[in-house]
Amino acid sequence: MFARLNTVAFQGVDVITIDVQVQISSGLPGFTIVGLPDKAVGESRERVRSAFHAMGLSLPYRRIIINLAPADVQKEGSHYDLPIALGLLAVMGVLPSDILSEYVVVGELSLDSRLAPISGVLPTALHAASLNKGIICPRACGGEAAWAGEINVLAAENLLALINHFKGIQVLSPPVPQIEEESVQKSLDLRDVKGQETAKRALEVTAAGGHNLLMLGPPGAGKSMLASRLPGILPPLSPAEALEVTMIHSLAGQLNEGKLLRIRPFRDPHHSASMPALVGGGASSSAGRNFACP
Ligand SMILES: Nc1ncnc2c1ncn2[C@@H]1O[C@H](COP(=O)(O)OP(=O)(O)O)[C@@H](O)[C@H]1O
Ligand SMILES: [Mg+2]
C-alpha cells in the first residue's frame, strides 16, 4: 500500500518541493523515516502516533516506511508532521490520495492532534501557487497562506477537521488575508528628535529620493535615534515589497498571526558585530534568523 503527497523544504528564502512517499508493507512492524531527516523530523513519528491515538485511530501493526525525496536534501523543521500523517491516512484508506496530491501540505502536530503554527507558510503558499496546487496548513497560518492569491487554502484547527472536510461532513471555510494594522502605529516619530534640523532634513531627502545615508558623530549624538525614525517617513511598502518582507519574516518565524507587514523593517545591529553575526553562517544559515524584529 502506497501513497505520495507534496510538502516543501526551505533553503534560505528558496522553497523546494519534497515528495513524501508512504508505504505500509508486510514485514517486521516498525515506523521508519528516511531521506536525511533531522532530529525534529525524526521525532515526528511520535507526534503522528500520539495524534492518531488522540483521534481513536491506531497505526497498523506492520512495516511503515516514510521516504522524503529527494533523499540527498537535508529535511529540517516540524512541518513534516502533517504530510506524514495525511500520507498515512491515505494509505490506510481514510482519505482519498488523489485529492491529497492536489495540495502542498505543511503543519506541525500536537499530541492531541491539533495543528500548531509553523514558519514559512507564505513562501510555501506562493510555491504551491506556482505548481498550480492548493495548500493545507494549520489554522493559525491561514491568513498568511491566503495572500498567495487564487489558490485553494485549507487551514484546519486539527487533524479531525481535515478528515471531516475531505469526507464532506464539515467543509472548512477559506481563510481571509490579514494585514498588520498595529505596526503603522508602532513606528517611531521624527518629532521626538529635538533640534538636529540639518540631520532631519538629510533624513527627509534620503527618504524622498531613496538614497543611502551615512551618519557620523560622537556616541549619544542621536544617530541611532534618527535612523530608527526613517521607516516612519518612508512611503508604505508597495504590495510586491510587502510580500517580499513578509516572506522573510515568515521564514524566520516572526510573523504575528500571519498578517502581512506594511511597515519597513529597521535593523539595529551592534557596531562590533562580525560579518557572520550580520549575515549568518555555517551549514544552516537562514534568512532573518540572526536578529529579532524591533
Ligand atoms: N536630538 C535629540 N532629541 C531627543 N533626544 C535625543 C537627541 N539626541 C540624543 N537623544 C537621546 O540620546 C539617546 C542616545 O542617542 P543615540 O541615538 O543612541 O546616539 P548614537 O546612536 O549617536 O550614539 C537617545 O535614545 C535619545 O534619548
Ligand atoms: Mg548608535
Side-chain angles (χ1 to χ4, degrees):
M1 289 180 291
F2 182 79
R4 72 191 324 160
L5 65 159
N6 284 322
T7 184
V8 292
F10 302 110
Q11 288 191 330
V13 287
D14 295 329
V15 179
I16 55 172
T17 309
I18 299 291
D19 196 22
V20 180
Q21 303 158 6
V22 182
Q23 188 189 52
I24 299 184
S25 60
S26 52
L28 216 54
F31 188 163
T32 318
I33 300 177
V34 296
L36 276 192
D38 78 345
K39 192 99 173 81
V41 182
E43 285 172 349
S44 124
R45 220 170 23 203
E46 303 308 324
R47 288 189 292 270
V48 170
R49 204 192 291 274
S50 299
F52 274 38
H53 181 75
M55 288 193 304
L57 284 170
S58 64
L59 287 173
Y61 194 61
R62 302 178 70 181
R63 192 173 123 94
I64 301 171
I65 291 210
I66 316 278
N67 181 30
L68 306 172
D72 59 345
V73 176
Q74 180 79 36
K75 319 295 183 311
E76 290 175 344
S78 56
H79 63 273
Y80 295 95
D81 293 0
L82 188 58
I84 290 173
L86 292 188
L88 279 167
L89 287 171
V91 177
M92 289 158 69
V94 180
L95 292 178
S97 55
D98 51 336
I99 299 183
L100 284 179
S101 63
E102 288 164 22
Y103 291 92
V104 170
V105 187
V106 284
E108 177 181 330
L109 277 174
S110 311
L111 298 188
D112 59 356
S113 89
R114 228 174 287 184
L115 295 179
I118 51 151
S119 56
V121 169
L122 180 61
T124 306
L126 290 168
H127 183 71
S130 73
L131 296 175
N132 250 333
K133 289 181 191 276
I135 176 169
I136 301 179
C137 65
R139 176 139 207 88
C141 306
E144 193 180 331
W147 281 107
E150 296 289 305
I151 69 164
N152 203 349
V153 180
L154 292 184
E157 188 71 44
N158 52 41
L159 209 47
L160 200 58
L162 271 177
I163 297 175
N164 285 342
H165 174 85
F166 283 114
K167 292 222 175 279
I169 300 168
Q170 194 172 25
V171 176
L172 292 166
S173 51
V176 185
Q178 307 224 6
I179 294 185
E180 181 73 91
E181 297 288 352
E182 253 176 65
S183 59
V184 177
Q185 289 138 27
K186 259 194 269 169
S187 73
L188 301 164
D189 201 319
L190 201 57
R191 83 178 146 200
D192 303 336
V193 183
K194 306 276 180 284
Q196 299 281 23
E197 297 307 328
T198 322
K200 280 193 220 169
R201 175 89 186 119
L203 220 56
E204 285 163 6
V205 171
T206 306
H211 304 297
N212 299 319
L213 176 67
L214 174 67
M215 282 189 271
L216 286 175
K223 302 182 296 296
S224 300
M225 190 185 188
L226 280 158
S228 63
R229 279 150 181 82
L230 183 60
I233 56 170
L234 282 166
L237 292 168
S238 70
E241 286 172 333
L243 217 54
E244 197 177 328
V245 169
T246 307
M247 229 155 80
I248 293 174
H249 280 72
S250 170
L251 280 166
Q254 292 177 345
L255 266 197
N256 176 19
E257 292 171 12
K259 293 176 181 162
L260 198 78
L261 295 171
R262 297 300 305 278
I263 196 83
R264 286 168 194 279
F266 172 70
R267 290 285 183 264
D268 187 13
H270 194 259
H271 62 82
S272 68
S274 65
M275 183 67 106
L278 275 173
V279 299
S284 60
S285 64
S286 61
R289 280 273 155 86
N290 303 297
F291 292 107
C293 287

